Amino acid sequence: MTANKSEKNKSDIVWWLILIGLPIVGIAVVNLPPSLRLIADKFANPSPKNLDANYRYNFSATLRSNPNQKEAIQQEIAFYQQRLAVDSKSGLNRAGLASAYLKMARATGEGGWFLLAEQAAERSIALLPFDNKGALLVLARIAEARHDFATALRLAKQVGFDNEDAIALSVTSHLATGKVSEASIAAETIVNRIPNLGSLTLRALVREAQGKDAEVLQDYRQAMAAEEPGEIAGSARARSLLGRFYARRGQFVQAKALFLEALRLVPRYPLALIYLADLETRQGNYREAEANYSKVSAYSGGAATVFDRLVDRGMARVKELQGDAIASGRLRDKAEAGLRQEQVSGGFGHRRDLASLLLEKGRSQDVAEALLLMQEEVKIRRDAVTLDIYAWALSGAGEWQKADRVMAEIVRSGIRDAGMFYRAGAIARTLGKDAESRAYFQKSKEIDPSFGDRSRQALGLGSYEF
């Protein structure tokens, strides 16, 4: 028996959705006295009733006056295009256009915008080869998206670590490669320099990787206390990530309230919708889960996005849990075809995602291919999620001792994840390490008291007695 099916790679899309705040709009309303602001807020859509007061968005009256996110970015693109129409050899304007394209790529998840951003940044550097930090940062983020972390860090170093964006990039790249200590140092540096919504959210992610739950919550509370009205997209992202944290601790009511608050700020926000669909699946609310996955697809208007495979796999899991094996298999096949095409085209396909999907399918040939993929992947990434999938592949191939060593590396990192500890327990049980196995299972239950049969089934894990 194995505990061989995990859906931990949702976090793989976190970097894609590091959205840049919208321009500050409606400042006259924001600066109303508190008593009048309370009155104005009554005319805006209210926050969810169950939401912790610390996580409520305090600029509700400004939401109606802010433009649609994509429309705002399109206006920025048009601005730089107009300037380049007058002076096509301006490296700075070309860098500004590249940055705007990258914002649109992050907002929509459409690969074409990433390619436009890359082309514009390369052209900008050709026109302005010196002191062109904007273009270098765009190229660094695109390298990071392709999992070329060495290039991303090299470009960030060229920009200089006196630049906050370069420091932020070093945080995310070090996290992806499993260098949590380096990520922590960089996160402390940027928070000490600019303790705002973005930097505090970054440090919260680092502390989550270290298993420092109390500090995670403290960072998110400080982040939301420091947010400003022009940061709506970043505010939605922070609440989505915090909601995911609460969901992983079994605190579903608070998690759902945070996801709904994020969707109040940015309607049909893909990250919040995917996490909310995940939550509904764990709770057995399959109709609601399907509805939220469908909204992610509707958000793109039919265009291919980086969210498509996540949606297909999430829907496949729902169908499987509903007992519809045919529909589930069809959706997994669709996701696999898309991931393979992305691998061939050299786009932004994720080798780890493909491996995880193959492990879900579970055939011997699929497991063998997944192991080969993960053996390559761990050469460039050693974060806990990647190692967890690697251990899954190793155990699926019967390499239990190796899988046990990989899980031990995850445990040493400090991360607190019920699914990962449950897998560690299953592997230890197979190896006859009964005391160790029971300790892992109990740790899993301690992290997430709700982590029962339905949660394991929703996450694709096997079932063992504690």
Side-chain angles (χ1 to χ4, degrees):
M1 296 175 63
T2 63
N4 279 348
K5 293 190 176 180
S6 173
E7 187 60 18
K8 293 299 176 186
N9 58 317
K10 287 268 189 296
S11 61
D12 198 41
I13 67 166
V14 169
W15 106 258
W16 297 91
L17 293 158
I18 300 177
L19 301 174
I20 298 173
L22 299 176
I24 297 176
V25 179
I27 203 74
V29 177
V30 174
N31 288 332
L32 285 172
S35 57
L36 294 181
R37 186 187 298 173
L38 287 172
I39 295 171
D41 281 353
K42 290 182 180 180
F43 295 95
N45 293 329
S47 297
K49 292 181 180 179
N50 294 319
L51 185 65
D52 186 311
N54 290 302
Y55 307 142
R56 180 177 180 270
Y57 185 72
N58 289 318
F59 307 106
S60 298
T62 68
L63 293 177
R64 290 175 299 169
S65 62
N66 274 284
N68 174 278
Q69 182 188 4
K70 289 192 283 188
E71 289 178 1
I73 300 171
Q74 191 60 62
Q75 290 172 9
E76 186 177 351
I77 290 171
F79 170 78
Y80 283 111
Q81 287 175 334
Q82 290 170 4
R83 298 193 70 169
L84 286 166
V86 176
D87 181 7
S88 63
K89 294 184 179 181
S90 170
L92 287 176
N93 285 330
R94 190 75 60 179
L97 180 62
S99 179
Y101 283 148
L102 183 59
K103 289 181 190 179
M104 186 65 86
R106 290 169 169 172
T108 65
E110 295 174 27
W113 291 109
F114 285 101
L115 297 177
L116 285 173
E118 183 177 41
Q119 292 167 3
E122 289 173 343
R123 177 62 176 154
S124 174
I125 289 172
L127 292 166
L128 184 64
F130 303 106
D131 198 28
N132 193 342
K133 295 181 179 181
L136 286 172
L137 285 167
V138 169
L139 292 177
R141 283 298 183 190
I142 291 171
E144 185 184 41
R146 289 195 170 116
H147 302 164
D148 184 357
F149 302 109
T151 297
L153 287 168
R154 176 179 58 80
L155 291 169
K157 186 177 181 180
Q158 277 185 249
V159 171
F161 291 119
D162 57 338
N163 180 283
E164 286 82 7
D165 289 333
I167 301 171
L169 191 143
S170 74
V171 174
T172 52
S173 290
H174 282 314
L175 272 181
T177 52
K179 297 177 180 178
V180 181
S181 295
E182 289 88 336
S184 180
I185 293 169
E188 292 294 341
T189 299
I190 193 170
V191 167
N192 289 335
R193 188 171 298 186
I194 45 167
N196 62 9
L197 175 70
S199 64
L200 286 160
T201 298
L202 273 179
R203 191 171 70 177
L205 291 173
V206 174
R207 288 177 164 177
E208 185 175 354
Q210 296 172 312
K212 298 179 178 179
D213 285 12
E215 289 90 338
V216 170
L217 294 175
Q218 181 182 16
D219 273 345
Y220 277 119
R221 288 181 182 128
Q222 290 179 2
M224 292 174 199
E227 68 189 347
E228 297 179 1
E231 300 178 301
I232 292 178
S235 296
R237 173 182 174 266
R239 285 164 177 79
S240 298
L241 294 173
L242 178 57
R244 181 188 63 175
F245 174 85
Y246 273 117
R248 289 174 172 176
R249 301 301 181 271
Q251 298 184 45
F252 295 156
V253 172
Q254 191 61 237
K256 186 170 183 176
L258 281 158
F259 297 146
L260 293 176
E261 181 76 342
L263 291 167
R264 186 174 74 92
L265 304 186
V266 181
R268 295 192 297 176
Y269 182 46
L271 191 63
L273 287 170
I274 288 170
Y275 290 157
L276 180 56
D278 249 3
L279 182 63
E280 299 289 13
T281 301
R282 283 194 63 184
Q283 294 184 290
N285 302 325
Y286 302 134
R287 182 177 298 178
E288 290 85 350
E290 287 183 291
N292 285 306
Y293 282 129
S294 297
K295 290 175 185 176
V296 178
S297 300
Y299 181 76
S300 67
T305 75
V306 297
F307 313 118
D308 293 344
R309 311 306 160 224
L310 291 169
V311 169
D312 290 340
R313 293 181 63 191
M315 292 283 276
R317 190 183 322 107
V318 170
K319 293 298 183 184
E320 182 178 55
L321 292 167
Q322 291 175 314
D324 191 343
I326 294 175
S328 177
R330 190 180 301 120
L331 284 162
R332 283 202 172 99
D333 288 344
K334 180 184 174 186
E336 180 182 349
L339 285 167
R340 290 191 184 281
Q341 178 57 41
E342 289 167 0
Q343 295 286 320
V344 171
S345 65
F348 297 92
H350 296 287
R351 182 164 44 198
R352 185 175 78 183
D353 288 357
L354 178 57
S356 182
L357 177 60
L358 291 170
L359 289 166
E360 285 179 1
K361 297 181 77 172
R363 299 177 306 177
S364 58
Q365 63 268 35
D366 293 327
V367 172
E369 183 182 358
L371 180 55
L372 290 173
L373 289 167
M374 291 311 300
Q375 286 170 337
E376 290 300 310
E377 189 71 4
V378 294
K379 293 177 182 178
I380 60 172
R381 283 203 287 186
R382 292 194 75 86
D383 62 299
V385 175
T386 302
L387 291 175
D388 183 50
I389 297 172
Y390 183 36
W392 177 6
L394 286 166
S395 58
E399 298 188 34
W400 296 99
Q401 294 286 354
K402 289 182 180 179
D404 189 51
R405 289 195 292 272
V406 171
M407 294 310 299
E409 183 177 344
I410 293 174
V411 171
R412 285 194 301 272
S413 75
I415 194 169
R416 289 166 51 82
D417 184 284
M420 292 179 188
F421 272 91
Y422 195 86
R423 187 189 305 287
I427 292 170
R429 171 72 59 87
T430 302
L431 291 171
K433 300 179 178 181
D434 291 341
E436 189 175 320
S437 175
R438 285 194 297 272
Y440 282 140
F441 285 147
Q442 289 298 333
K443 187 68 173 179
S444 173
K445 197 71 174 178
E446 174 191 316
I447 294 167
D448 182 354
S450 72
F451 200 76
D453 287 339
R454 187 161 61 188
S455 295
R456 290 191 289 271
Q457 187 181 21
L459 293 172
L461 287 160
S463 183
Y464 295 84
E465 294 297 327
F466 286 10

